[in-house]
Amino acid sequence: MSAARIGYCCTFVSPSGDTKVQRARNFRMPTIASIARLGSEAAARLEGVILENLDILDRQVAAVAALPPLERLFRIQSGFLIGWSHPALARAWTSDLRREVERRLAAAGAAARAGDVRLSMHPAQHAILATANPAALDNALRDIAEHGEVYAMLGYGDGWHPHGASINIHGGARATGVDGLRAGLARVDAASRNLLTIENDELSFGLDDLLAVAGEVALVVDFHHHWIFSRGEWLDPGDPRLDRVRDSWRGVRPLAHISVSREGVLGAHDPDRLPDFAALGEAGHKAAHLRGHSERMWNRAVNAFVARHLVWCDVEVEAKAKNLASRELADFVRQHAPEPA
C-alpha cells in the first residue's frame, strides 16, 4: 500500500440530494434499548437490522472500490453490529445470526482487499484509555475489543495494521497523563493492540504528548486538532516529529485527519490563505468556535497543505458533507499536483 489516499468518514451524502440513494448507502442504527424493549420480538428485529446493514456494507465497499485509486479510503461507522457484545441483547444475538455475520464480513473484507480499499474505524468518544474511572476504562476496553473482533471477521485479525486497517481512539483525560495512557494501553488485548491508533486532540493530548508513546502504538496526526492545540501551528511535512509518527507505524503507510473550521465561523476569510489562529483570536474568535468541522473543504490553502503531506500519509476528511468534501479535496489534489506515489 504505497499510493496516497484521501477518504471520507462513515456516511454517504448524495450529490443530488437523493434520499433513496443515501438510505441505500447508510447503516440503520436503532438503539440497543429500543430493540431490547421489544422482548420476544427483539431477535427478529435485530436480525432484520443486521442483515440490512451487512447488505449496506457490501454496497459501501463496492462504491469506494469503484472510485479512483486516490479515493479508496473509507471509515466504517462504528456500532453497525448493534449490541454485538452488549449484555442487553445477548439473547437476541442467536448463534445462527452470529455465523451469518462471520460469513458476510469475511466476504466484505475480501472485497475491500480485492478493491484496494483501505478501511478504518473510530469508536465513540467514550473509548478512552487515560481515565481514572475504572468503569469507563472497562467499557473502553470492551469497545476496542469489539472493534478488533469485527476486523478479525473482516479478515484483518493477524499482524500489525494489515492492509492499513486501524481502530482509532483519542487518548483520554489529561489529568492521568502519559502514565495513565500507558496503563490503559497495557490492558488492550493483543489482537486489538495491533490495530490500535491514537490521535492527538485539541484539549488533552497534543502531538508532543503522544510522541511519548510512539514506540508502543501507531499515532494518527489530526492536523486541525494540532492547529487548535498549538494555537496556530501548521505542521510542515519535513517536521522531525513526523518522522517519529511514521516510525510508529512500523512500515505501514500512516493515516492522518484533516478538517477546517466552519465556513460560517470564519466568514469572509480568504480561502487562499491558511487560517491564522492568532489573528482570528484577536478578531474575537474563541478556540471553542474554531474546533467545529466545516461542511466542505472550502479553504484552498488547507487543501494545498494536505497535498504536500500526501507524500507520507493517507488522509481522512472529517467534514460534515462527508464524501462531497473528500471528493472536493481529491479533485483539488488532482488539479494542482501529480497524484503522489
Side-chain angles (χ1 to χ4, degrees):
M1 183 181 295
S2 58
R5 297 156 197 262
I6 295 168
Y8 69 97
C9 303
C10 303
T11 56
F12 174 81
V13 177
S14 168
S16 66
D18 189 325
T19 56
K20 184 177 180 180
V21 171
Q22 287 187 177
R23 182 172 175 79
R25 290 271 295 275
N26 294 319
F27 291 135
R28 311 293 174 258
M29 300 294 281
T31 65
I32 293 172
S34 70
I35 296 177
R37 282 196 298 267
L38 297 176
S40 62
E41 303 298 320
R45 168 62 172 153
L46 180 66
E47 179 177 357
V49 171
I50 296 303
L51 294 180
E52 189 173 10
N53 279 351
L54 292 169
D55 289 341
I56 291 166
L57 179 61
D58 288 342
R59 290 193 286 271
Q60 291 173 340
V61 170
V64 177
L67 294 173
L70 179 62
E71 299 176 68
R72 293 182 194 167
L73 169 61
F74 178 60
R75 181 191 294 176
I76 301 173
Q77 185 175 5
S78 293
F80 72 96
L81 298 181
I82 314 298
W84 174 261
S85 63
H86 199 286
L89 293 183
R91 292 184 179 181
W93 270 103
T94 65
S95 57
D96 286 346
L97 181 55
R98 287 184 181 274
R99 280 193 294 269
E100 182 63 8
V101 167
E102 291 171 3
R103 185 186 72 80
R104 293 289 302 277
L105 288 186
R113 291 186 291 278
D116 200 26
V117 176
R118 181 175 187 174
L119 299 175
S120 72
M121 298 185 79
H122 194 338
Q125 298 284 354
H126 67 262
I128 56 174
L129 297 179
T131 175
N133 184 331
L137 179 56
D138 287 343
N139 288 336
L141 292 169
R142 186 185 71 185
D143 201 3
I144 292 167
E146 179 176 310
H147 283 74
E149 192 173 357
V150 171
Y151 266 127
M153 290 186 287
L154 286 165
Y156 299 87
D158 296 320
W160 179 261
H161 298 284
H163 301 275
S166 61
I167 302 168
N168 184 62
I169 62 171
H170 291 199
R174 186 172 183 82
T176 65
V178 172
D179 287 343
L181 183 55
R182 282 202 175 99
L185 274 171
R187 291 187 55 191
V188 176
D189 67 280
S192 299
R193 182 74 173 265
N194 282 340
L195 291 158
L196 196 66
T197 63
I198 301 180
E199 70 170 287
N200 57 297
D201 62 59
E202 315 102 309
L203 300 173
S204 298
F205 288 94
L207 174 59
D208 294 319
D209 299 311
L210 289 184
L211 289 176
V213 295
E216 304 166 54
V217 64
L219 303 183
V220 167
V221 175
D222 187 303
F223 295 114
H224 186 61
H225 289 173
H226 181 76
W227 180 72
I228 296 287
F229 192 92
S230 68
R231 298 300 189 260
E233 181 182 26
W234 292 98
L235 284 165
D236 186 88
D239 191 303
R241 289 172 292 181
L242 297 181
D243 291 335
R244 297 177 64 187
V245 172
R246 284 192 289 269
D247 289 345
S248 76
W249 284 83
R250 305 179 193 174
V252 174
R253 186 176 176 84
L255 187 63
H257 296 166
I258 189 64
S259 53
V260 191
S261 298
R262 294 193 303 272
E263 294 91 334
V265 170
L266 295 194
H269 189 285
D270 184 351
D272 290 309
R273 288 171 46 253
L274 288 170
D276 183 325
F277 190 93
L280 289 166
E282 291 172 3
H285 293 281
K286 304 295 185 183
H289 299 154
L290 299 174
R291 288 202 297 266
H293 296 170
S294 64
E295 288 288 328
R296 307 290 281 264
M297 292 300 293
W298 61 270
N299 187 289
R300 290 185 289 269
V302 170
N303 295 347
F305 166 85
V306 173
R308 294 174 60 217
H309 280 277
L310 288 175
V311 297
W312 71 272
C313 67
D314 294 346
V315 175
E316 287 182 346
V317 176
E318 296 187 321
K320 296 183 184 299
K322 306 296 183 177
N323 50 291
L324 303 184
S326 63
R327 169 56 61 89
E328 194 168 51
L329 176 58
D331 284 345
F332 179 95
V333 169
R334 281 187 284 260
Q335 180 179 354
H336 293 87
E339 194 163 313

